[in-house]
Amino acid sequence: MANSLVMRFLLDATALSGCLAFCRGRWRLGMLGARYRTPGTMTAPPPNLPQLLTDAKRWFDDALLSSMQAAGERPVTVAQAAVFANLDAGGTSISELARRIGTTRQSVHQAVHGLIGMGLLKQVPDPTSARSRLVRTTPAGARAHERALRMIATIEDVLAKQIGANAVDALRDGLDCNWGDPPLVQDR
């Protein structure tokens, strides 16, 4: 079993590395952004994995937010979209949202109140704690969230057509693995 998982990962990683080499060339040429192009030179240092992940996240965010707006939904910020992505069906506290998103409670509070003002979220008393409140979607928010999930699936299909289904599967598999605790490393 472990051997087959290792083989699958190696095969998928090979497909993904080919895809990333192709995509890196496109990024440097400015088709996905000119971030890595150094003016006056033909070469640039290759982007590291955190830069690539950030660019990929930005690509998805841009695609989703512009598609939602083009479909007639009210525009939201990336921070507000992150709130939706981390809500539980029964509601989630501001503190828990902040922990999941990896930001401050104040930032989440601001995003939530913007969405409440748009009629997409509401706050309700937490039945398990008299001092706490839960953030939940309104019917309009639930409808917008369902639409966003359908659009994300379509965006993933578009990506599979652009870079290949094997590369998307490899990317998903690699990101879905248990990476363990973040390592404490020494400088080389």
Side-chain angles (χ1 to χ4, degrees):
M1 172 76 172
N3 244 357
S4 66
L5 286 175
V6 169
M7 286 302 293
R8 164 129 169 119
F9 181 77
L10 289 175
L11 289 171
D12 289 346
T14 302
L16 182 60
S17 68
C19 156
L20 289 178
F22 171 74
C23 291
R24 247 184 258 125
R26 288 182 19 190
W27 281 331
R28 284 199 199 105
L29 293 173
M31 294 171 75
L32 295 177
R35 176 179 183 166
Y36 304 112
R37 230 180 358 185
T38 305
T41 66
M42 291 299 293
T43 61
N48 60 41
L49 194 52
Q51 289 170 323
L52 293 172
L53 291 169
T54 299
D55 285 348
K57 172 79 167 76
R58 187 177 310 118
W59 183 87
F60 270 100
D61 287 343
D62 289 350
L64 176 62
L65 298 179
S66 61
S67 296
M68 291 289 285
Q69 192 169 355
E73 297 293 341
R74 295 182 68 184
V76 298
T77 66
V78 171
Q80 290 170 331
V83 168
F84 268 103
N86 287 282
L87 277 176
D88 293 326
T92 312
S93 71
I94 296 276
S95 297
E96 180 59 18
L97 286 169
R99 187 193 66 75
R100 290 178 187 177
I101 296 169
T103 191
T104 65
R105 286 182 296 156
Q106 292 83 356
S107 294
V108 171
H109 197 269
Q110 183 177 5
V112 164
H113 279 278
L115 292 165
I116 289 171
M118 295 167 63
L120 300 174
L121 294 181
K122 62 183 176 182
Q123 282 190 305
V124 297
D126 184 343
T128 64
S129 170
R131 297 182 337 149
S132 185
R133 296 179 59 78
L134 297 177
V135 177
R136 290 187 182 155
T137 59
T138 62
R143 182 195 50 74
H145 188 233
E146 287 300 317
R147 182 179 232 175
L149 293 175
R150 289 191 306 272
M151 286 188 171
I152 289 170
T154 302
I155 293 165
E156 289 179 10
D157 291 344
V158 168
L159 181 62
K161 287 177 184 157
Q162 289 179 343
I163 69 172
N166 288 343
V168 171
D169 290 343
L171 182 60
R172 181 182 299 282
D173 290 346
L175 294 172
D176 198 35
C177 288
N178 180 356
W179 292 14
D181 292 333
L184 180 62
V185 300
Q186 300 285 322
D187 190 14
R188 294 184 199 187

